[in-house]
Amino acid sequence: RHAAALRADVLRLARWTQVLDQLALILSESAMPLTEAFKQAASGHQAPDKILKALAQELPAHPLTPLAAASGPLLADLPESAVLQRMFTGLGHGTLDSRVLAIRHAKDEIALMVQAAQTRSDKDARLSQTLGLTGGICLFILLI
């Protein structure tokens, strides 16, 4: 279970890098509102996509709420929330170039988190499999 949770973290972080890459591309090439850019970038059904879609629905309902404050409850339990909060703060104001730069910085930081999580996942998965195999063999010997 622990190994599966680590692999799920790796997949979620990897999806964030894809979504943020798409978001940076969409913002730099078009003149659409931020909520529409969120909807365009969040084309899948994984957690990062759901967060961006929820944020895109939340922003028009509360237009005076800062982007970082609106995203806070959606990111509460995620380890990458600090990186994403900084990105949403950068997206809340500034020029188009500074917004795209904030997205690219967040993508780079999350890419580093993906690498670290991948190595930890590989190491822990092998350890968990070895422990499970050893436990199974011991149980088999006890039952004989």
Side-chain angles (χ1 to χ4, degrees), residues 6 9-14 16-17 78-84 86 105-121:
L6 288 174
D9 285 346
V10 170
L11 291 175
R12 187 189 68 250
L13 289 169
W16 269 118
T17 60
L78 300 177
E80 65 270 17
S81 65
V83 173
L84 294 171
R86 283 194 303 272
H105 282 301
K107 179 192 162 262
D108 291 342
E109 283 186 65
I110 291 177
L112 291 173
M113 292 173 75
V114 168
Q115 290 175 350
Q118 182 68 45
T119 57
R120 188 176 63 233
S121 171

Short mmCIF file of all heavy atoms in Angstrom, two decimals, residues 6 9-14 16-17 78-84 86 105-121:
data_model
loop_
_atom_site.label_atom_id
_atom_site.label_comp_id
_atom_site.label_asym_id
_atom_site.label_seq_id
_atom_site.Cartn_x
_atom_site.Cartn_y
_atom_site.Cartn_z
N LEU A 6 3.10 5.96 -2.93
CA LEU A 6 4.25 6.68 -3.48
C LEU A 6 4.16 6.79 -5.00
O LEU A 6 4.46 7.84 -5.57
CB LEU A 6 5.55 6.00 -3.07
CG LEU A 6 5.95 6.13 -1.61
CD1 LEU A 6 7.18 5.28 -1.32
CD2 LEU A 6 6.20 7.57 -1.24
N ASP A 9 1.69 9.45 -5.87
CA ASP A 9 2.29 10.78 -5.72
C ASP A 9 3.12 11.14 -6.94
O ASP A 9 3.07 12.27 -7.42
CB ASP A 9 3.16 10.84 -4.47
CG ASP A 9 2.36 10.91 -3.19
OD1 ASP A 9 1.14 11.18 -3.26
OD2 ASP A 9 2.96 10.69 -2.12
N VAL A 10 3.90 10.18 -7.43
CA VAL A 10 4.73 10.43 -8.61
C VAL A 10 3.85 10.76 -9.81
O VAL A 10 4.12 11.71 -10.56
CB VAL A 10 5.64 9.22 -8.90
CG1 VAL A 10 6.32 9.36 -10.25
CG2 VAL A 10 6.67 9.04 -7.81
N LEU A 11 2.77 9.99 -9.99
CA LEU A 11 1.87 10.25 -11.13
C LEU A 11 1.20 11.60 -11.02
O LEU A 11 1.04 12.32 -12.01
CB LEU A 11 0.83 9.13 -11.22
CG LEU A 11 1.35 7.75 -11.63
CD1 LEU A 11 0.24 6.72 -11.56
CD2 LEU A 11 1.96 7.81 -13.01
N ARG A 12 0.78 11.98 -9.80
CA ARG A 12 0.13 13.28 -9.60
C ARG A 12 1.11 14.42 -9.90
O ARG A 12 0.77 15.37 -10.60
CB ARG A 12 -0.40 13.40 -8.17
CG ARG A 12 -1.23 14.66 -7.95
CD ARG A 12 -1.59 14.90 -6.51
NE ARG A 12 -0.41 15.23 -5.73
CZ ARG A 12 0.14 14.44 -4.81
NH1 ARG A 12 -0.39 13.28 -4.51
NH2 ARG A 12 1.23 14.80 -4.17
N LEU A 13 2.33 14.30 -9.39
CA LEU A 13 3.33 15.35 -9.63
C LEU A 13 3.68 15.42 -11.12
O LEU A 13 3.84 16.53 -11.67
CB LEU A 13 4.58 15.08 -8.80
CG LEU A 13 4.43 15.31 -7.30
CD1 LEU A 13 5.66 14.75 -6.56
CD2 LEU A 13 4.24 16.77 -6.98
N ALA A 14 3.79 14.28 -11.76
CA ALA A 14 4.09 14.28 -13.20
C ALA A 14 2.96 14.93 -13.99
O ALA A 14 3.20 15.66 -14.96
CB ALA A 14 4.33 12.86 -13.69
N TRP A 16 1.05 17.31 -12.84
CA TRP A 16 1.18 18.75 -12.62
C TRP A 16 2.16 19.36 -13.63
O TRP A 16 1.90 20.45 -14.15
CB TRP A 16 1.65 19.05 -11.20
CG TRP A 16 0.56 19.24 -10.21
CD1 TRP A 16 0.33 18.49 -9.09
CD2 TRP A 16 -0.45 20.26 -10.20
NE1 TRP A 16 -0.77 18.97 -8.42
CE2 TRP A 16 -1.26 20.05 -9.06
CE3 TRP A 16 -0.75 21.32 -11.05
CZ2 TRP A 16 -2.35 20.86 -8.75
CZ3 TRP A 16 -1.84 22.13 -10.74
CH2 TRP A 16 -2.62 21.90 -9.61
N THR A 17 3.27 18.68 -13.89
CA THR A 17 4.24 19.25 -14.85
C THR A 17 3.62 19.35 -16.24
O THR A 17 3.84 20.34 -16.94
CB THR A 17 5.54 18.42 -14.91
OG1 THR A 17 5.25 17.09 -15.31
CG2 THR A 17 6.25 18.42 -13.57
N LEU A 78 -1.83 18.73 -0.18
CA LEU A 78 -0.82 18.31 -1.14
C LEU A 78 0.57 18.77 -0.73
O LEU A 78 0.74 19.91 -0.28
CB LEU A 78 -1.15 18.88 -2.52
CG LEU A 78 -2.48 18.45 -3.12
CD1 LEU A 78 -2.70 19.16 -4.44
CD2 LEU A 78 -2.53 16.96 -3.30
N PRO A 79 1.57 17.92 -0.90
CA PRO A 79 2.94 18.33 -0.56
C PRO A 79 3.48 19.44 -1.47
O PRO A 79 4.36 20.20 -1.08
CB PRO A 79 3.77 17.06 -0.71
CG PRO A 79 2.89 16.01 -1.25
CD PRO A 79 1.49 16.52 -1.28
N GLU A 80 2.93 19.55 -2.66
CA GLU A 80 3.38 20.58 -3.61
C GLU A 80 2.62 21.89 -3.46
O GLU A 80 2.76 22.79 -4.28
CB GLU A 80 3.28 20.06 -5.05
CG GLU A 80 1.89 19.77 -5.54
CD GLU A 80 1.42 18.35 -5.29
OE1 GLU A 80 2.00 17.64 -4.46
OE2 GLU A 80 0.46 17.95 -5.93
N SER A 81 1.84 22.02 -2.40
CA SER A 81 0.99 23.20 -2.25
C SER A 81 1.78 24.50 -2.11
O SER A 81 1.35 25.53 -2.61
CB SER A 81 0.04 23.02 -1.06
OG SER A 81 0.76 22.96 0.14
N ALA A 82 2.94 24.47 -1.46
CA ALA A 82 3.73 25.70 -1.30
C ALA A 82 4.19 26.22 -2.67
O ALA A 82 4.13 27.42 -2.93
CB ALA A 82 4.92 25.45 -0.40
N VAL A 83 4.62 25.31 -3.52
CA VAL A 83 5.06 25.70 -4.86
C VAL A 83 3.89 26.28 -5.65
O VAL A 83 4.02 27.32 -6.30
CB VAL A 83 5.67 24.48 -5.60
CG1 VAL A 83 5.98 24.81 -7.04
CG2 VAL A 83 6.90 23.98 -4.88
N LEU A 84 2.76 25.61 -5.57
CA LEU A 84 1.59 26.07 -6.32
C LEU A 84 1.03 27.37 -5.77
O LEU A 84 0.56 28.22 -6.54
CB LEU A 84 0.52 24.97 -6.33
CG LEU A 84 0.93 23.70 -7.10
CD1 LEU A 84 -0.08 22.60 -6.87
CD2 LEU A 84 1.10 23.99 -8.57
N ARG A 86 2.82 29.79 -4.46
CA ARG A 86 3.69 30.83 -5.01
C ARG A 86 3.33 31.12 -6.46
O ARG A 86 3.31 32.27 -6.90
CB ARG A 86 5.15 30.42 -4.89
CG ARG A 86 5.72 30.56 -3.51
CD ARG A 86 7.24 30.46 -3.51
NE ARG A 86 7.75 29.24 -4.08
CZ ARG A 86 7.95 28.11 -3.40
NH1 ARG A 86 7.67 28.05 -2.11
NH2 ARG A 86 8.43 27.04 -3.99
N HIS A 105 8.49 28.44 -13.48
CA HIS A 105 9.25 28.18 -12.26
C HIS A 105 8.58 27.08 -11.43
O HIS A 105 9.26 26.19 -10.91
CB HIS A 105 9.39 29.45 -11.41
CG HIS A 105 10.41 30.40 -11.90
ND1 HIS A 105 11.74 30.08 -12.05
CD2 HIS A 105 10.31 31.70 -12.29
CE1 HIS A 105 12.41 31.11 -12.51
NE2 HIS A 105 11.56 32.12 -12.68
N ALA A 106 7.28 27.14 -11.32
CA ALA A 106 6.55 26.11 -10.58
C ALA A 106 6.71 24.75 -11.26
O ALA A 106 6.90 23.73 -10.58
CB ALA A 106 5.07 26.47 -10.47
N LYS A 107 6.65 24.73 -12.57
CA LYS A 107 6.82 23.48 -13.31
C LYS A 107 8.21 22.89 -13.06
O LYS A 107 8.36 21.68 -12.85
CB LYS A 107 6.60 23.70 -14.79
CG LYS A 107 6.80 22.45 -15.62
CD LYS A 107 6.85 22.80 -17.10
CE LYS A 107 7.45 21.68 -17.87
NZ LYS A 107 8.85 21.83 -18.19
N ASP A 108 9.23 23.74 -13.07
CA ASP A 108 10.59 23.27 -12.83
C ASP A 108 10.75 22.71 -11.41
O ASP A 108 11.39 21.68 -11.20
CB ASP A 108 11.61 24.39 -13.07
CG ASP A 108 11.70 24.77 -14.53
OD1 ASP A 108 11.27 23.98 -15.40
OD2 ASP A 108 12.21 25.88 -14.82
N GLU A 109 10.17 23.40 -10.42
CA GLU A 109 10.25 22.92 -9.04
C GLU A 109 9.52 21.58 -8.88
O GLU A 109 10.02 20.67 -8.21
CB GLU A 109 9.65 23.94 -8.08
CG GLU A 109 10.54 25.11 -7.79
CD GLU A 109 9.96 26.01 -6.72
OE1 GLU A 109 9.84 25.55 -5.57
OE2 GLU A 109 9.62 27.16 -7.05
N ILE A 110 8.37 21.46 -9.50
CA ILE A 110 7.61 20.21 -9.40
C ILE A 110 8.32 19.10 -10.17
O ILE A 110 8.29 17.94 -9.75
CB ILE A 110 6.16 20.41 -9.86
CG1 ILE A 110 5.44 21.29 -8.84
CG2 ILE A 110 5.44 19.08 -10.02
CD1 ILE A 110 4.02 21.63 -9.18
N ALA A 111 9.01 19.43 -11.26
CA ALA A 111 9.78 18.41 -11.98
C ALA A 111 10.89 17.85 -11.08
O ALA A 111 11.17 16.64 -11.10
CB ALA A 111 10.37 19.00 -13.25
N LEU A 112 11.51 18.71 -10.28
CA LEU A 112 12.51 18.23 -9.32
C LEU A 112 11.86 17.34 -8.25
O LEU A 112 12.43 16.33 -7.83
CB LEU A 112 13.23 19.40 -8.66
CG LEU A 112 14.16 20.21 -9.55
CD1 LEU A 112 14.68 21.43 -8.82
CD2 LEU A 112 15.31 19.35 -10.05
N MET A 113 10.65 17.71 -7.84
CA MET A 113 9.93 16.89 -6.87
C MET A 113 9.57 15.53 -7.47
O MET A 113 9.59 14.51 -6.77
CB MET A 113 8.66 17.61 -6.41
CG MET A 113 8.92 18.85 -5.58
SD MET A 113 7.42 19.78 -5.22
CE MET A 113 6.68 18.74 -3.98
N VAL A 114 9.27 15.50 -8.77
CA VAL A 114 8.97 14.24 -9.44
C VAL A 114 10.18 13.32 -9.42
O VAL A 114 10.07 12.13 -9.11
CB VAL A 114 8.50 14.48 -10.91
CG1 VAL A 114 8.47 13.19 -11.69
CG2 VAL A 114 7.16 15.15 -10.94
N GLN A 115 11.35 13.88 -9.71
CA GLN A 115 12.57 13.06 -9.71
C GLN A 115 12.84 12.49 -8.33
O GLN A 115 13.16 11.31 -8.19
CB GLN A 115 13.76 13.88 -10.19
CG GLN A 115 13.71 14.22 -11.66
CD GLN A 115 14.85 15.14 -12.06
OE1 GLN A 115 15.56 15.67 -11.22
NE2 GLN A 115 15.01 15.33 -13.36
N ALA A 116 12.72 13.32 -7.30
CA ALA A 116 12.96 12.85 -5.94
C ALA A 116 11.93 11.80 -5.53
O ALA A 116 12.27 10.77 -4.93
CB ALA A 116 12.93 14.02 -4.97
N ALA A 117 10.68 12.04 -5.87
CA ALA A 117 9.63 11.08 -5.52
C ALA A 117 9.79 9.78 -6.29
O ALA A 117 9.51 8.70 -5.76
CB ALA A 117 8.25 11.69 -5.79
N GLN A 118 10.25 9.87 -7.52
CA GLN A 118 10.46 8.66 -8.33
C GLN A 118 11.56 7.78 -7.74
O GLN A 118 11.39 6.57 -7.63
CB GLN A 118 10.81 9.04 -9.77
CG GLN A 118 11.00 7.86 -10.69
CD GLN A 118 9.72 7.12 -10.95
OE1 GLN A 118 8.68 7.74 -11.21
NE2 GLN A 118 9.74 5.81 -10.89
N THR A 119 12.67 8.39 -7.36
CA THR A 119 13.75 7.58 -6.76
C THR A 119 13.31 7.00 -5.42
O THR A 119 13.60 5.83 -5.14
CB THR A 119 15.03 8.41 -6.58
OG1 THR A 119 14.74 9.55 -5.77
CG2 THR A 119 15.61 8.85 -7.90
N ARG A 120 12.60 7.78 -4.61
CA ARG A 120 12.11 7.27 -3.33
C ARG A 120 11.09 6.16 -3.54
O ARG A 120 11.09 5.14 -2.85
CB ARG A 120 11.49 8.41 -2.52
CG ARG A 120 11.13 8.02 -1.10
CD ARG A 120 10.61 9.19 -0.29
NE ARG A 120 9.37 9.71 -0.87
CZ ARG A 120 9.15 10.97 -1.20
NH1 ARG A 120 10.07 11.87 -1.01
NH2 ARG A 120 8.01 11.35 -1.72
N SER A 121 10.24 6.32 -4.54
CA SER A 121 9.22 5.32 -4.85
C SER A 121 9.87 4.02 -5.31
O SER A 121 9.46 2.94 -4.88
CB SER A 121 8.28 5.84 -5.92
OG SER A 121 7.41 4.83 -6.37
#
